[in-house]
Amino acid sequence: MNSLAISEKDRALLLARAREALSRAYAPYSRFRVGAAVLTAQSQIYTGVNVENASYGLTICAERAAIFSAVAAEGPEMHLKALAVVCEHPGPCLPCGACRQVIFEFAPEAVIIFSGPDGPEEISLARLLPRAFSLK
Ligand code: THU
């Protein structure tokens, strides 16, 4: 799937920022480094990396780290337009279930950008998390 919800330029920039962030991941236990970058409605980009812990369950994913950083900078009205996620493994890296639910909180219509086998790809959050949990 390769829609054009996000401009070519924004897509490339978000992926580049996610890749650049990845080198700062703290993943001594899994050695699986992940980088993420979000584009907000205010046209700002925030990055995040996975941060692991000796108590494994306390680990935070790169996507949630990026989203929380965006909220810390822009406040509770922060709205996501797109999120890019990258890892160092050949397979496509897509947000885990918990991160999908957190993305949904800030943009049910968000676009997820990831590295596919033939280059950058986009998929809507709605396809990744159909019928998401909502209090509304
Ligand atoms: N991880 C992420 O950062 N994002 C995901 O969507 C899934 C998994 C991290 C958590 C952990 O540090 C490592 O990848 C291996 O699970």
Side-chain angles (χ1 to χ4, degrees):
M1 151 144 194
N2 233 334
S3 73
L4 291 170
I6 296 294
S7 75
E8 212 51 57
K9 190 171 151 253
D10 280 346
R11 193 155 64 165
L13 183 60
L14 266 187
L15 275 172
R17 293 291 304 273
R19 278 197 200 99
E20 176 246 335
L22 179 144
S23 64
R24 297 189 293 273
Y26 179 73
Y29 305 107
S30 72
R31 308 232 170 255
F32 193 93
R33 300 193 295 178
V34 185
V38 296
L39 175 67
T40 68
Q42 294 185 26
S43 299
Q44 299 299 308
I45 292 179
Y46 302 92
T47 58
V49 297
N50 54 329
V51 180
E52 299 186 344
N53 191 275
S55 178
Y56 299 160
L58 300 182
T59 292
I60 180 143
C61 293
E63 298 92 320
R64 274 178 286 160
I67 291 169
F68 297 162
S69 171
V71 174
E74 294 189 5
E77 304 303 323
M78 191 282 294
H79 193 80
L80 283 178
K81 278 165 79 176
L83 177 149
V85 58
V86 297
C87 63
E88 297 167 291
H89 295 258
C93 192
L94 283 156
C96 74
C99 289
R100 292 176 195 197
Q101 181 69 37
V102 173
I103 297 165
F104 180 83
E105 184 81 16
F106 295 99
E109 75 292 353
V111 170
I112 310 302
I113 300 161
F114 61 99
S115 285
D118 304 316
E121 286 188 46
E122 276 185 23
I123 189 166
S124 67
L125 180 67
R127 275 193 73 196
L128 290 179
L129 189 69
R131 307 190 70 184
F133 173 75
S134 169
L135 291 173
K136 290 169 205 147

